[in-house]
């Protein structure tokens, strides 16, 4: 896949997220948004759009830019917003469980692709990405609980639901990290970065 196609995918995801969030905030009285706290979520859902660009700049803007990893990190927030916009959460009980798996496959796959640009070995990248994904679902559930405590009524969180989300998302994260490593080492035909030999670098 060429750079132009990768850039197009990233900007499609970015624009779609902004449009979906704008729709949810503009029409909060629609049944699918009732009690979901979309206005509270919107600013936080936009933050991931700056995560990869900021990290890339802090690391010296080493080319090529990770367009696909950036898109993957943003994609879960788009999927969650679209799930509400199209009323999937209220129409299909399985939506929450399915998206918890898919979203963490996407998120952790993106994180893994970023880690593979360093000198981490594949298993180390998998383990670190899995850990980051596990931490992310813990804080996600904490944020949902906070939104509910602030007065929203549409989340209907329970202990069993929270435990289920933790298991589903962490499992999805493990799968996403493995898929990213498999793609980079096999299907893409790309050799992973290796740490330079200290003797050679000193000559």
């Amino acid at each position: 896949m060429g750079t132009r196609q990768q850039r197009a995918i990233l900007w499609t995801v970015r624009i779609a997220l902004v449009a979906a969030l704008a729709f949810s905030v503009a029409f909060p009285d629609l049944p699918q948004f009732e009690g979901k706290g979309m206005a509270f979520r919107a600013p936080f859902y936009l933050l991931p759009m700056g995560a990869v660009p900021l990290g890339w700049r802090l690391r010296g803007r080493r080319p090529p830019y990770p367009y696909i990893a950036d898109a993957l990190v943003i994609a879960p927030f788009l999927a969650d917003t679209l799930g509400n916009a199209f009323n999937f959460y209220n129409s299909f009980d399985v939506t929450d469980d399915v998206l918890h798996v898919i979203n963490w496959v996407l998120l952790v796959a993106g994180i893994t692709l970023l880690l593979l640009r360093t000198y981490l070995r594949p298993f180390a990248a998998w383990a670190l990405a899995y850990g980051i994904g596990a931490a992310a679902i813990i804080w996600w559930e904490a944020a949902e609980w906070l939104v509910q405590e602030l007065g929203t009524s549409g989340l209907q969180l329970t202990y069993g639901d929270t435990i289920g989300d933790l298991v589903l998302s962490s499992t999805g994260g493990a799968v996403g990290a493995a898929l990213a490593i498999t793609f980079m080492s096999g299907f893409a035909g790309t050799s992973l970065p290796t740490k330079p030999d200290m003797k050679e670098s000193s000559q």
Side-chain angles (χ1 to χ4, degrees), residues 82-154:
L82 291 178
N84 281 302
F86 288 106
N87 204 28
F88 289 154
Y89 283 103
N90 294 334
S91 301
F92 307 101
D93 293 338
V94 73
T95 298
D96 185 63
D97 291 340
V98 170
L99 284 184
H100 267 285
V101 175
I102 293 176
N103 284 348
W104 258 257
V105 168
L106 298 172
L107 176 66
V108 178
I111 293 171
T112 306
L113 291 179
L114 294 173
L115 292 174
L116 289 174
R117 289 167 61 92
T118 69
Y119 295 121
L120 285 176
R121 293 183 180 276
F123 180 75
W126 178 90
L128 182 54
Y130 174 71
I132 294 172
I137 183 56
I138 292 173
W139 285 103
W140 180 282
E141 292 299 314
E144 284 194 333
W145 174 83
L146 178 61
V147 170
Q148 180 171 271
E149 290 300 301
L150 289 175
T152 58
S153 58

Side-chain angles (χ1 to χ4, degrees), residues 23-62:
F23 176 74
S24 68
V25 173
F27 302 98
D29 295 329
L30 290 177
Q32 59 264 45
F33 299 133
E34 185 178 355
K36 298 296 179 67
M38 298 306 297
F40 178 84
R41 295 189 192 195
F44 294 97
Y45 279 28
L46 291 173
L47 289 177
M49 294 177 62
V52 174
L54 178 60
W56 183 66
R57 289 175 182 174
L58 290 176
R59 295 197 72 242
R61 301 188 180 191
R62 182 167 61 88

